[in-house]
Coordinates of all heavy atoms in Angstrom, one line a residue:
F81 N -12.2 28.8 53.9 CA -12.5 27.4 54.0 C -13.2 26.9 52.7 O -13.9 27.6 52.2 CB -13.5 27.2 55.2 CG -14.1 25.8 55.4 CD1 -13.4 24.8 56.1 CD2 -15.2 25.4 54.7 CE1 -13.9 23.5 56.3 CE2 -15.7 24.1 54.9 CZ -15.0 23.2 55.6
P82 N -13.0 25.7 52.3 CA -12.2 24.6 52.8 C -10.8 24.4 52.2 O -10.1 23.4 52.5 CB -13.0 23.4 52.5 CG -13.7 23.7 51.2 CD -13.8 25.2 51.2
W83 N -10.4 25.4 51.4 CA -9.0 25.4 50.9 C -8.4 26.8 51.0 O -9.2 27.8 50.9 CB -8.8 24.8 49.5 CG -9.6 25.4 48.5 CD1 -9.3 26.5 47.7 CD2 -10.9 25.1 48.0 NE1 -10.2 26.9 46.9 CE2 -11.3 26.0 47.0 CE3 -11.8 24.0 48.3 CZ2 -12.5 25.9 46.3 CZ3 -13.0 24.0 47.6 CH2 -13.4 24.9 46.6
F84 N -7.1 26.9 51.1 CA -6.5 28.2 51.2 C -5.8 28.5 49.9 O -5.0 27.6 49.4 CB -5.4 28.2 52.3 CG -4.8 29.5 52.6 CD1 -5.4 30.4 53.5 CD2 -3.7 29.9 51.9 CE1 -4.9 31.7 53.6 CE2 -3.2 31.2 52.1 CZ -3.8 32.1 53.0
W133 N -17.2 21.1 46.3 CA -16.4 20.3 47.2 C -17.1 19.1 47.6 O -17.6 19.0 48.7 CB -16.0 21.2 48.4 CG -14.9 20.7 49.3 CD1 -13.7 20.4 48.8 CD2 -14.9 20.5 50.7 NE1 -12.9 20.0 49.9 CE2 -13.6 20.1 51.0 CE3 -15.9 20.7 51.7 CZ2 -13.3 19.8 52.4 CZ3 -15.5 20.4 53.0 CH2 -14.2 20.0 53.3
L147 N -19.9 24.5 59.9 CA -19.0 25.5 60.4 C -19.8 26.4 61.3 O -20.9 26.8 61.0 CB -18.6 26.4 59.2 CG -17.6 25.9 58.2 CD1 -17.1 27.1 57.3 CD2 -16.5 25.2 58.8
I163 N -15.0 23.8 63.1 CA -15.4 22.9 62.0 C -15.7 21.6 62.6 O -14.9 20.9 63.2 CB -14.2 22.7 61.0 CG1 -13.6 24.1 60.5 CG2 -14.6 21.9 59.8 CD1 -12.3 24.0 59.9
L171 N -12.1 14.5 57.6 CA -12.3 15.7 56.7 C -11.0 16.4 56.5 O -10.4 16.9 57.5 CB -13.4 16.6 57.4 CG -13.8 17.8 56.7 CD1 -14.8 17.4 55.6 CD2 -14.5 18.7 57.6
R172 N -10.6 16.4 55.3 CA -9.3 17.1 55.0 C -9.7 18.5 54.5 O -10.4 18.7 53.6 CB -8.5 16.4 53.9 CG -8.0 15.1 54.4 CD -7.1 14.4 53.5 NE -6.8 13.1 54.0 CZ -7.6 12.0 53.9 NH1 -8.7 12.1 53.2 NH2 -7.2 10.8 54.4
C173 N -9.1 19.5 55.1 CA -9.4 20.9 54.7 C -8.3 21.9 55.2 O -7.5 21.5 56.0 CB -10.8 21.3 55.2 SG -10.9 21.3 57.0
E174 N -8.4 23.1 54.7 CA -7.6 24.2 55.2 C -8.5 25.3 55.6 O -9.7 25.3 55.1 CB -6.7 24.7 54.1 CG -5.7 23.7 53.6 CD -4.8 24.2 52.4 OE1 -5.5 24.5 51.4 OE2 -3.6 24.3 52.5
E175 N -8.1 26.2 56.5 CA -8.9 27.3 56.8 C -8.1 28.4 57.4 O -6.9 28.2 57.8 CB -10.0 26.9 57.8 CG -9.6 25.9 59.0 CD -8.9 26.6 60.1 OE1 -9.2 27.7 60.5 OE2 -7.9 25.9 60.6
N285 N -4.9 27.1 59.5 CA -4.2 25.8 59.3 C -4.2 25.5 57.8 O -5.3 25.3 57.2 CB -5.0 24.7 60.0 CG -4.9 24.9 61.5 OD1 -3.8 24.6 62.1 ND2 -5.9 25.3 62.2
M286 N -3.0 25.6 57.2 CA -2.9 25.5 55.7 C -1.6 24.9 55.4 O -0.7 24.8 56.3 CB -3.2 26.8 55.0 CG -2.1 27.9 55.2 SD -2.0 28.6 56.9 CE -3.5 29.6 56.9
A287 N -1.4 24.5 54.1 CA -0.1 24.0 53.6 C 0.3 22.8 54.5 O -0.5 21.9 54.7 CB 0.9 25.1 53.5
N289 N 0.2 22.5 57.5 CA -0.6 22.3 58.6 C -2.1 22.1 58.3 O -3.0 22.4 59.1 CB -0.5 23.6 59.6 CG 0.9 23.7 60.0 OD1 1.7 24.6 59.6 ND2 1.3 22.9 60.9
A290 N -2.3 21.7 57.0 CA -3.7 21.4 56.6 C -4.3 20.4 57.6 O -3.6 19.6 58.2 CB -3.7 20.7 55.2
L291 N -5.6 20.5 57.8 CA -6.3 19.7 58.8 C -6.8 18.3 58.3 O -7.1 18.2 57.1 CB -7.5 20.5 59.3 CG -7.2 21.8 60.1 CD1 -8.5 22.6 60.2 CD2 -6.6 21.5 61.4
E292 N -6.8 17.4 59.2 CA -7.5 16.2 59.0 C -8.4 15.9 60.2 O -7.8 15.6 61.3 CB -6.6 15.0 58.7 CG -7.3 13.8 58.3 CD -6.4 12.7 57.7 OE1 -5.7 13.0 56.7 OE2 -6.4 11.6 58.2
I293 N -9.7 16.2 60.1 CA -10.5 16.2 61.3 C -11.2 14.8 61.3 O -11.9 14.4 60.4 CB -11.6 17.3 61.3 CG1 -10.9 18.7 61.1 CG2 -12.4 17.3 62.5 CD1 -11.8 19.8 60.8
Q299 N -12.7 20.9 65.1 CA -11.5 21.7 65.2 C -11.9 23.1 65.5 O -12.9 23.6 64.9 CB -10.7 21.6 63.9 CG -10.0 22.8 63.5 CD -8.7 23.0 64.3 OE1 -8.1 22.1 64.9 NE2 -8.2 24.3 64.4

Side-chain angles (χ1 to χ4, degrees):
F81 173 87
W83 57 86
F84 186 88
W133 196 52
L147 290 191
I163 307 165
L171 184 76
R172 291 187 187 82
C173 60
E174 297 176 300
E175 43 78 39
N285 292 287
M286 66 291 287
N289 301 106
L291 295 167
E292 187 165 301
I293 306 169
Q299 146 74 25

